[in-house]
Amino acid sequence: MSRRLFLAIDLDEPARTRLGALAATLRARLERERGLRVTWVAPDRMHVTLHFLGQVEADRAESIVAAMAPPIAVPAFTLTIDRLGAFPGLGRPRVLWAGGPGVPAIVDVHRLMGERMAACGCELDERPFSPHVTLGRVRESRGSLPALPRIEPPIEFGIARVTLYESQLSAEGPRYTPVAFTALAGPDD
């Protein structure tokens, strides 16, 4: 039996609450003014995806869980979210996101977890890592989006672990179940 897995960084509750409120404001504005049809992400499902592993057979899932055990040699850090955007761009939006300035620590966590997953035989996305929180997926658009506002004040939250999730798809939307965790621990911890 296979499982649909991904690695993520969780947001704390204040960050989820603020992003949920921001998404609700965007929803009202973009659907009314731009005729966008968007599937919005519920605040309790918001996270920063490090690696999507896809459908994984049971034996490989066991090796992934084992690879999660050792702490990651990166000290805990703070992530800042201060801007909104769209992939692939405002001209033809498919995903609405919130993100912030690049933080070397999150790039290091992405790389180190990628090395662990590759050692387990996982095929990883080759695209450059762009840390973000998905707010919604655009289902229908009637053109480009206007410039999106900055997030003021910026949202900041601490990162101290990585979570392996199983994603189960349903008509009500995905359900994410934590499978394993690994802590961030600096080289001197």
Side-chain angles (χ1 to χ4, degrees), residues 68-125:
M68 291 287 295
I72 303 167
V74 174
F77 60 95
T78 299
L79 196 59
T80 300
I81 296 175
D82 66 354
R83 62 187 67 124
L84 300 168
F87 292 133
L90 296 177
R92 296 186 59 124
R94 303 304 313 149
V95 172
L96 301 175
W97 55 261
V103 176
I106 197 170
V107 174
D108 289 342
V109 169
H110 174 264
R111 178 183 51 78
L112 292 168
M113 292 309 297
E115 290 170 1
R116 290 185 189 186
M117 297 303 106
C120 293
C122 296
E123 292 185 29
L124 304 175
D125 193 343

